[in-house]
Amino acid sequence: MNKHVQSIAVPLIAVAIFLAFWEWLVWVNGWPTFKMAAPSDLPPAYARHWDLFLTMGWQTLWRTILGLLLAVIFGTLLGMIMGFSRIMRDALYPLLVGFNAIPKATVVPIVALMFVGQHDFNTVLLAFMISFFPIAVSVSIGLSTLEPEYRDILRSLGASQATIFWKIALPKTLPEFFGALKVAVTLAFIGTNLMEIVSPHGRGLGALFDSGRTNSDFPLMFAVLIALAFLGIVLYYIVVALEKIFAGWAERSPG
Amino acid sequence: MENLIEIKGVRHAYKTDAGPLPVLDGLEIAVPEGGFVAVVGPSGCGKSTLTRLIAGLMKPDHGEVWLHGERVKGPRSTVGMAFQNPVLLEWRSILKNVLLPLEIVPSKLSKKEAEDRARFLLSLVGLEGFEDKRPSELSGGMRQRASLCRALIHQPEVLILDEPFGALDAFTREDLWQTMHKVKEREPFTGVLITHDLRESIFLADQVVVLSGRPAKTQYVLNVPRTRTPTLDDLYTPEAAEQLNILRHQIQVAQGRTTEDAA
Ligand SMILES: Nc1ncnc2c1ncn2[C@@H]1O[C@H](COP(=O)(O)OP(=O)(O)O)[C@@H](O)[C@H]1O
Ligand SMILES: [Mg+2]
């Protein structure tokens, strides 16, 4: 078999086997739709609620991306401050680790109560709060572990700190940054969904999931899960594409 | 002033958590224009500190560093540096790496002329055909050659080399010694070479300065007379053996392994 065909066919066959097994499991046990959904229940669920999936999916997507963008800006700035100043690193690191150690599920009701009714704001805030940590840490580590010789080759020619940052420190940190961004995408998604599910009058795919839950509508719940997985994969691969463009040089050649 | 590099009574101590750490104490070095000085001494005695002082990356507590009749107060674009770690930028091609200093230093060269000069330097060190490769595609010795080209691209008066061949195997190192002579004939510079290889020091330099243990002072200066470019065979002559013997003895004194007075 042709290598290219194989690389597409093998995963497709695996997915087909997985779906068939799932369908078989539901059929053999005779589970009704208020106990479990089979793959064959999903297309009707999408057909029934397609307009909801589109509007809610869009809600979830833009809030996640906005939260992520804020996390990138804030995380990078924080990472720069900690990466360049020893004192700031010593001061901020314990705070940051402590903040990160708090399970974000416990923050959800607090935020929801504090800014009651501001659903968009709350959701973006949570996506941001949950995802800036890996970015800040990766940027600060990338900058603080820059070997002194890298600075010296430019500094000995009279280059300014800003020039050294743009020409050397920043590009050198990009591989770590993108590694962290891949983690952050997944985290931001979790943040958005947590808030959407928990908020009483929420919107977005999380809220759609919650309405499925209250009605024991398993086909709808599974359809939401798969839509979420789809959005997550799309966002993840957008980051991978950006990484290829901006930090492709760091890739180990295969083999 | 006839000497291009002049170091007079330099003393320096680093501030550490455990109090000041004296590193240099009474350093005297003079290198005429076009000269090549090698500095040897026990590890940790302050050799890299010396290179940072000459490059203007830091100021000594006491004493003076002069370059070309001017007191060194900060970094200057007439210096080129290469280290044991070639520190090439992985996201640039070899050619773009070599061109990096010209993005900092004001240059009269057009883009085309600068590129031609980079290609010329690369071919001089034997890297013709590797211009568009990434650093990771090159061997350690080749990376060091590229790093040398980058240090020379802006035609520095002073070339500072801090153990540039220290991490290379013996054969690669000897190749690079010969490359250094070839480069120096085409691209004149005044050189400062930090090394822990005594054969390297007498092969490349016309003056070898032995530093004492920390805090380092100038302990001994050996002049290496040169009438022509040396070959590797010259390292096995009685004269070379005699020079190496003297240096070895001086290093032992510097390391404190013999109580005999150095002078
Ligand atoms: N920035 C610094 N702060 C404190 N101590 C330093 C610093 N740089 C070097 N040292 C110390 O000064 C001594 C001399 O260092 P260095 O000049 O690098 O020695 P060498 O290059 O001869 O091995 C060493 O003991 C080293 O640990
Ligand atoms: Mg050193």
Side-chain angles (χ1 to χ4, degrees):
Chain A
M1 202 169 8
N2 179 312
K3 271 253 167 341
H4 198 68
V5 174
Q6 185 179 333
S7 72
I8 295 172
V10 169
L12 275 183
I13 293 171
V15 169
I17 291 176
F18 171 75
L19 290 178
F21 177 71
W22 179 3
E23 187 77 43
W24 174 81
L25 208 62
V26 173
W27 176 77
V28 135
N29 288 296
W31 283 322
T33 53
F34 56 83
K35 260 186 110 175
M36 183 66 190
S40 59
D41 298 329
L42 299 182
Y46 285 121
R48 213 165 350 126
H49 301 295
W50 66 269
D51 51 335
L52 277 180
F53 271 98
L54 279 186
T55 49
M56 298 297 200
W58 168 242
Q59 292 265 355
T60 300
L61 188 63
W62 76 254
R63 289 155 163 176
T64 305
I65 292 179
L66 185 58
L68 203 58
L69 282 179
L70 292 174
V72 166
I73 295 168
F74 181 74
T76 306
L77 284 177
L78 199 63
M80 280 170 67
I81 291 170
M82 293 199 302
F84 282 131
S85 157
R86 185 71 211 269
I87 294 177
M88 292 308 273
R89 184 155 66 247
D90 290 347
L92 292 175
Y93 204 74
L95 279 175
L96 213 63
V97 170
F99 179 80
N100 189 54
I102 300 170
K104 292 304 169 297
T106 60
V107 180
V108 177
I110 300 177
V111 171
L113 259 181
M114 274 175 78
F115 308 102
V116 75
Q118 318 228 8
H119 186 52
D120 284 342
F121 176 81
N122 286 344
T123 313
V124 171
L125 181 65
L126 203 71
F128 158 75
M129 275 172 36
I130 204 170
S131 61
F132 79 86
F133 180 78
I135 296 175
V137 171
S138 75
V139 171
S140 82
I141 290 178
L143 292 180
S144 61
T145 54
L146 187 70
E147 294 99 320
E149 289 99 331
Y150 279 99
R151 285 175 213 281
D152 286 350
I153 46 167
L154 288 195
R155 219 157 68 78
S156 66
L157 298 170
S160 67
Q161 283 295 338
T163 308
I164 294 173
F165 177 75
W166 281 113
K167 289 215 184 282
I168 294 189
L170 180 75
K172 203 159 164 40
T173 308
L174 279 182
E176 278 112 48
F177 170 82
F178 277 107
L181 191 56
K182 283 187 219 163
V183 176
V185 166
T186 317
L187 288 176
F189 225 53
I190 293 174
T192 320
N193 278 289
L194 271 177
M195 188 53 85
E196 289 172 351
I197 292 174
V198 168
S199 296
H201 300 289
R203 290 183 302 276
L205 287 177
L208 194 59
F209 178 85
D210 199 49
S211 80
R213 192 180 58 89
T214 29
N215 301 320
S216 296
D217 185 347
F218 274 83
L220 178 59
M221 282 157 76
F222 273 92
V224 170
L225 289 190
I226 286 171
L228 282 172
F230 174 75
L231 284 188
I233 291 169
V234 168
L235 277 183
Y236 184 84
Y237 278 100
I238 288 176
V239 173
V240 169
L242 289 175
E243 182 183 26
K244 271 225 159 59
I245 295 171
F246 292 108
W249 51 266
E251 231 169 67
R252 295 264 162 274
S253 46
Chain B
M1 192 165 299
E2 58 166 329
N3 285 316
L4 193 97
I5 306 174
E6 195 129 15
I7 294 170
K8 296 192 229 166
V10 160
R11 274 196 279 152
H12 191 77
Y14 284 114
K15 289 165 200 69
T16 68
D17 294 341
L21 174 76
V23 173
L24 300 174
D25 188 12
L27 209 57
E28 307 284 340
I29 292 176
V31 192
E33 184 155 4
F36 201 144
V37 63
V39 179
V40 297
S43 126
C45 76
K47 302 182 295 294
S48 295
T49 305
L50 166 66
T51 65
R52 296 171 63 79
L53 291 175
I54 300 173
L57 291 170
M58 43 187 254
K59 273 185 230 155
D61 294 342
H62 295 278
E64 296 170 8
V65 179
W66 292 76
L67 281 191
H68 221 148
E70 270 181 63
R71 180 105 180 247
V72 173
K73 295 207 178 71
R76 40 174 61 217
S77 56
T78 53
V79 169
M81 287 186 104
F83 312 94
Q84 175 166 350
N85 179 353
V87 290
L88 298 175
L89 310 183
E90 204 49 63
W91 55 94
R92 287 170 174 243
S93 67
I94 293 298
L95 186 74
K96 286 265 161 58
N97 262 289
V98 172
L99 287 167
L100 177 72
L102 295 181
E103 296 168 26
I104 314 292
V105 175
S107 160
K108 287 184 288 288
L109 300 180
S110 71
K111 197 167 175 296
K112 172 86 173 54
E113 289 166 330
E115 260 195 50
D116 287 346
R117 176 166 165 72
R119 284 177 199 282
F120 162 72
L121 287 174
L122 284 169
S123 71
L124 192 60
V125 301
L127 283 183
E128 207 165 359
F130 290 89
E131 292 85 354
D132 298 325
K133 293 264 191 280
R134 296 283 165 142
S136 59
E137 296 174 272
L138 269 58
S139 68
M142 291 158 102
R143 268 181 254 181
Q144 207 49 261
R145 288 170 200 269
S147 161
L148 193 62
C149 293
R150 178 182 59 196
L152 289 167
I153 185 78
H154 55 296
Q155 291 182 295
E157 286 178 349
V158 177
L159 182 65
I160 301 173
L161 305 167
D162 191 350
E163 301 193 21
F165 316 128
L168 304 176
D169 66 82
F171 298 121
T172 309
R173 206 181 302 169
E174 288 178 358
D175 272 354
L176 267 148
W177 293 350
Q178 287 163 309
T179 302
M180 278 307 299
H181 274 297
K182 202 165 129 196
V183 167
K184 194 158 189 322
E185 274 159 30
R186 296 297 298 265
E187 293 278 323
F189 56 78
T190 305
V192 179
L193 170 76
I194 310 295
T195 180
H196 51 236
D197 185 333
L198 299 181
R199 290 164 72 240
E200 179 172 300
S201 74
I202 61 164
F203 187 77
L204 288 178
D206 39 43
Q207 184 189 161
V208 183
V209 174
V210 181
L211 298 187
S212 66
R214 197 178 66 221
K217 63 173 193 309
T218 304
Q219 176 182 300
Y220 186 84
V221 179
L222 174 80
N223 285 303
V224 185
R226 276 218 202 295
T227 48
R228 58 176 173 83
T229 306
T231 65
L232 287 175
D233 289 338
D234 293 340
L235 286 173
Y236 301 92
T237 59
E239 290 88 341
E242 173 65 20
Q243 290 162 348
L244 289 173
N245 232 338
I246 295 172
L247 290 175
R248 218 175 349 255
H249 172 72
Q250 288 297 332
I251 291 285
Q252 278 169 358
V253 173
Q255 287 173 327
R257 279 202 228 134
T258 156
T259 48
E260 220 179 297
D261 191 2

